[in-house]
Amino acid sequence: QQKNLREREQLEASFRQEVLKTQIEVQDQTLNYISTEIHDNITQVLSFVKLSLAGLVSSADAEKKAKITEVRELVAQTITDLRDLSKSLSFEQISSLGLAKTIEREVERINKSGLLEVRLDREGKEYPLGQQRELVLFRIFQETLNNTLKHAGAKHMKIVLHYQADLFNLTVEDDGAGFSAGMIAQKHGSGLKNIENRASLIGGSASIVSSPHKGCCTKITLNPQKPQLYTDGGTHQNSSS
């Protein structure tokens, strides 16, 4: 009976890991699709609108010219922002640039938006963690960032990428409203569990420390030498073709 119980627990744990892997792969396929749609369709339509507005300038009076020029500038800025967003959603950017550079570009985008003042620190000698690990770490970072923007009311965020030979830490800290331990279980339990599960897939662990009015600190720790449960069978290549 004990043997059967252990086997059942192992099967259930394996099943949960497979479900989570599938969720990550489906999410990445969806994000790649959205990225392609933004880049290939929406920005093309906006570029046509911008070009059409340019054709109206010659036949307009001075007041209308000024308004048309202002609208063209807004459209141009929207195109730039959408292209930046498209790149942040694409697996190809993470694959080609690596985790640190991709996060750096995301920080630049957020700082440019004025929504939050973000600081990025890099400690130690950088090295690649592997495509699957870096993809999952970036998705965890995006989820943490989105939670901060939506719920925390923070003004500042600090991100630290800490590299050692047998240790890597990703730390994301904000000065937002924070929450109590009880609120973690009640309102943030599923989000925290999701981050913990994602971290475990790549051989790491996650912790979230917060208290009311004292911000929140999310830390992902992993040993790059430790085997990971998440191995990619080629999904990303297929989804981006």
Side-chain angles (χ1 to χ4, degrees):
Q1 288 177 344
Q2 290 177 345
K3 181 181 178 181
N4 288 336
L5 181 61
R6 285 196 300 270
E7 289 177 351
R8 190 173 71 177
E9 288 175 346
Q10 290 173 354
L11 285 173
E12 289 176 351
S14 177
F15 176 74
R16 287 195 297 270
Q17 296 292 352
E18 287 300 320
V19 168
L20 186 58
K21 284 168 60 177
T22 302
Q23 288 175 341
I24 291 174
E25 289 166 0
V26 169
Q27 181 193 53
D28 194 50
Q29 288 179 352
T30 303
L31 291 174
N32 273 314
Y33 173 76
I34 294 171
S35 172
T36 302
E37 285 296 301
I38 291 173
H39 184 272
D40 293 346
N41 294 328
I42 298 176
T43 56
Q44 294 300 323
V45 172
L46 288 174
S47 296
F48 177 76
V49 172
K50 180 184 173 187
L51 187 63
S52 299
L53 288 170
L56 297 175
V57 173
S58 59
S59 60
D61 56 38
E63 184 179 353
K64 289 181 178 179
K65 281 182 180 180
K67 289 183 178 180
I68 292 171
T69 300
E70 183 180 351
V71 172
R72 288 188 71 231
E73 290 174 353
L74 288 173
V75 172
Q77 183 59 52
T78 302
I79 292 172
T80 300
D81 291 344
L82 283 172
R83 283 176 175 162
D84 289 342
L85 176 61
S86 171
K87 290 176 183 177
S88 76
L89 296 175
S90 173
F91 171 75
E92 294 301 321
Q93 176 172 251
I94 305 166
S95 178
S96 61
L97 297 179
L99 178 67
K101 189 64 177 178
T102 305
I103 288 180
E104 180 184 315
R105 289 199 173 185
E106 191 74 352
V107 167
E108 291 173 356
R109 186 174 74 87
I110 296 299
N111 282 333
K112 187 168 62 174
S113 73
L115 295 171
L116 194 66
E117 185 177 326
V118 187
R119 170 183 164 188
L120 173 63
D121 290 341
R122 306 182 189 185
E123 300 175 353
K125 186 177 180 180
E126 294 176 19
Y127 54 82
L129 299 167
Q131 286 188 355
Q132 289 76 40
R133 279 196 174 105
E134 295 197 345
L135 172 64
V136 173
L137 285 167
F138 184 67
R139 296 304 184 217
I140 290 174
F141 161 73
Q142 284 183 312
E143 183 172 349
T144 305
L145 174 62
N146 288 335
N147 287 339
T148 299
L149 291 172
K150 286 171 62 177
H151 306 297
K155 295 183 178 179
H156 303 89
M157 171 180 280
K158 180 181 178 182
I159 304 160
V160 180
L161 302 175
H162 181 75
Y163 293 85
Q164 289 182 219
D166 57 353
L167 181 70
F168 171 81
N169 286 328
L170 166 64
T171 305
V172 183
E173 188 173 4
D174 68 60
D175 62 354
F179 42 86
S180 64
M183 289 179 65
I184 293 178
Q186 294 175 12
K187 297 184 179 181
H188 302 271
S190 60
L192 173 57
K193 196 65 180 176
N194 187 41
I195 290 175
E196 289 176 341
N197 287 336
R198 285 171 178 265
S200 69
L201 279 181
I202 56 173
S205 61
S207 68
I208 295 181
V209 178
S210 182
S211 58
H213 313 297
K214 292 187 177 180
C216 179
C217 179
T218 301
K219 187 173 185 179
I220 311 298
T221 302
L222 65 86
N223 181 346
Q225 309 303 323
K226 183 178 178 180
Q228 60 181 8
L229 298 174
Y230 178 34
T231 55
D232 191 346
T235 301
H236 301 304
Q237 287 81 354
N238 294 335
S239 66
S240 61
S241 60

